[in-house]
Amino acid sequence: MSRIGLIGGTGALGKAIARRLAKAGHEVTIGSRAAESAQAAAAEIGAAGGAANEDAAQGQDVVIVTVPYSAHASTLAQIKDKVGGAIVVDATVPLVPPKVMRVQLPAAGSAAAEAQAHLGEGVRLVSAFHSVAAHKLDHDGKVDCDVLVFSDDVEARKVVIGLCEDMELRGLAGGALVNAAAAEALTSILIYMNKNYGGDGAGIRFTGLTTAPALP
Amino acid sequence: MSRIGLIGGTGALGKAIARRLAKAGHEVTIGSRAAESAQAAAAEIGAAGGAANEDAAQGQDVVIVTVPYSAHASTLAQIKDKVGGAIVVDATVPLVPPKVMRVQLPAAGSAAAEAQAHLGEGVRLVSAFHSVAAHKLDHDGKVDCDVLVFSDDVEARKVVIGLCEDMELRGLAGGALVNAAAAEALTSILIYMNKNYGGDGAGIRFTGLTTAPALP
């Protein structure tokens, strides 16, 4: 069991991740700009508690950041001095409205690279959860979608792949943090496909892998 | 039946694509730097003929470019004035050896964007075939992998999706040409996964799409 803070945890993706992690037995704290909203969301999904983002980032084993790209830099600045030795998982995708079906990667190459710059080299940063639609995690059971997990910290990557398993998702290592660019860019393709092929939550599965974790 | 030129068609991917297209009944010309090599490859796989790249690019309905990134710019310069109104399909992935498991996208964002700049706005450019391992096309039968197809020219994109079907592959529209960045970046992830998970040709499948073409 880990202590896990969900920063931006009242949003659709954050709340859905928090619910599955709480259900798996983790001690989950929802974070939000307003502590009251966080506490209400925590009560709704069965998390241990709710707090302001700064407080939810403190004293955790894992801190998961799920905020819109427009709030990325400011949120990381808020939690930077709170996360300590925790693994920080960034799920941010650099979508630039209104053209969200168009790949528009930031100058640094990825939101993950930007996060590393914001948080500093000492932070155990992981990038994950880009390609899973929030509403697919809202109910129990398996989800037909792999989660790519990127980090330069191999141990941290393993921990997050384990959390995916706890959530009935298959997490797959995708290599170094810089490789998050691929998953971030892919999100615009999935949004395009939802529109073009009428799906309600396009996802990806990787094929041809001999020793990958089994599907949940 | 279309007339199709395979530029760099003596390489592993080009030859494998050419073989499947020829088998489906298309009139395929293999192109290579040396006409003799192209003719030998054509005889080997049952293509209509072989020629120097410049000649193989002329008088075609579709021209498919499969060259290493190091030969990308020079090859496009060679064929630029030959392709005319043909659909040009670029399969180039901007891998930068030796770090091929690391996403290193070019300054323009993608090899596809670079190709557009090289060939000019008038060319009917499509980016496709990034994520399929050549040796998986070497034999007959289905391949457990989707092919992403990007273009600003919707009709050209449809033609290439049709060619995928002829090759017993599922082609999926991935949106505008600029979105090729996602598939190009993903290639480094697949190479990483081949190493990390011991596969012999990692691929991707998209899930959750209601009206996508059926699997072959």
Side-chain angles (χ1 to χ4, degrees):
Chain A
M1 195 176 83
S2 300
R3 290 163 301 170
I4 303 176
L6 258 296
I7 307 308
T10 54
L13 181 61
K15 201 157 75 171
I17 291 174
R19 194 188 67 82
R20 288 209 171 207
L21 289 172
K23 185 160 181 283
H26 295 290
E27 186 183 324
V28 173
T29 303
I30 298 264
S32 183
R33 276 171 297 187
E36 299 73 33
S37 314
Q39 285 153 6
E44 181 191 334
I45 60 158
N53 278 330
E54 306 87 296
D55 299 324
Q58 201 149 22
Q60 308 291 1
D61 300 311
V62 179
V63 171
I64 303 178
V65 181
T66 59
V67 294
Y69 185 50
S70 56
H72 192 222
S74 60
T75 304
L76 295 175
Q78 266 187 324
I79 65 168
K80 181 183 177 177
D81 297 327
K82 310 287 181 178
V83 295
I87 294 169
V88 178
V89 185
D90 193 355
T92 303
V93 170
L95 296 174
V96 187
K99 295 194 170 176
V100 294
M101 297 194 298
R102 201 173 172 86
V103 173
Q104 301 176 80
L105 291 178
S110 63
E114 291 183 328
Q116 187 80 77
H118 287 309
L119 295 173
E121 289 300 322
V123 166
R124 305 185 71 191
L125 186 60
V126 175
S127 177
F129 299 117
H130 322 80
S131 313
V132 58
H135 72 276
K136 296 213 159 187
L137 300 176
D138 269 345
H139 50 82
D140 292 339
K142 299 164 191 176
V143 179
D144 189 15
C145 169
D146 291 331
V147 170
L148 284 166
V149 183
F150 305 95
S151 184
D152 299 335
D153 181 327
V154 174
E155 288 309 313
R157 203 164 63 198
K158 280 184 191 164
V159 168
V160 176
I161 289 172
L163 292 180
C164 290
E165 195 178 323
D166 295 344
M167 294 168 65
E168 294 192 79
L169 289 166
R170 183 168 75 162
L172 291 174
L177 188 77
V178 69
N179 286 1
E184 294 179 18
L186 196 63
T187 306
S188 290
I189 314 296
L190 296 174
I191 296 171
Y192 170 82
M193 284 186 172
N194 282 339
K195 190 180 173 213
N196 193 46
Y197 294 120
D200 83 324
I204 42 167
R205 279 282 188 214
F206 287 82
T207 59
L209 306 175
T210 310
T211 62
L215 295 181
Chain B
M1 195 176 83
S2 301
R3 289 163 302 169
I4 303 176
L6 257 296
I7 308 307
T10 53
L13 181 60
K15 201 155 76 170
I17 291 174
R19 194 187 69 79
R20 289 211 170 206
L21 289 172
K23 185 158 181 287
H26 294 290
E27 186 182 325
V28 174
T29 303
I30 298 264
S32 182
R33 276 171 298 187
E36 299 73 33
S37 314
Q39 285 154 7
E44 182 191 336
I45 59 157
N53 278 331
E54 306 88 296
D55 299 325
Q58 201 149 21
Q60 307 291 1
D61 301 312
V62 178
V63 170
I64 303 177
V65 181
T66 58
V67 295
Y69 185 51
S70 56
H72 193 223
S74 60
T75 304
L76 295 175
Q78 267 187 324
I79 65 168
K80 179 183 177 178
D81 297 329
K82 309 287 182 178
V83 296
I87 294 169
V88 178
V89 185
D90 193 357
T92 303
V93 171
L95 296 174
V96 187
K99 294 194 170 176
V100 295
M101 297 193 299
R102 201 173 171 87
V103 174
Q104 301 177 78
L105 290 179
S110 63
E114 292 183 327
Q116 188 80 76
H118 288 309
L119 296 173
E121 289 299 323
V123 166
R124 305 185 70 190
L125 186 59
V126 175
S127 178
F129 299 118
H130 322 80
S131 312
V132 57
H135 71 275
K136 296 214 159 185
L137 300 175
D138 269 345
H139 51 81
D140 293 339
K142 300 165 193 177
V143 179
D144 188 15
C145 169
D146 291 329
V147 170
L148 284 166
V149 183
F150 304 96
S151 183
D152 299 333
D153 181 328
V154 174
E155 288 308 313
R157 202 164 64 195
K158 281 183 191 164
V159 169
V160 177
I161 290 172
L163 293 179
C164 290
E165 195 178 323
D166 295 345
M167 295 168 65
E168 294 192 79
L169 289 166
R170 183 167 75 161
L172 291 174
L177 188 77
V178 69
N179 286 1
E184 294 179 17
L186 196 63
T187 306
S188 290
I189 314 295
L190 296 174
I191 296 170
Y192 170 83
M193 284 186 173
N194 282 338
K195 190 179 175 215
N196 194 45
Y197 293 120
D200 84 325
I204 42 165
R205 280 281 189 213
F206 286 81
T207 59
L209 305 175
T210 310
T211 64
L215 296 181

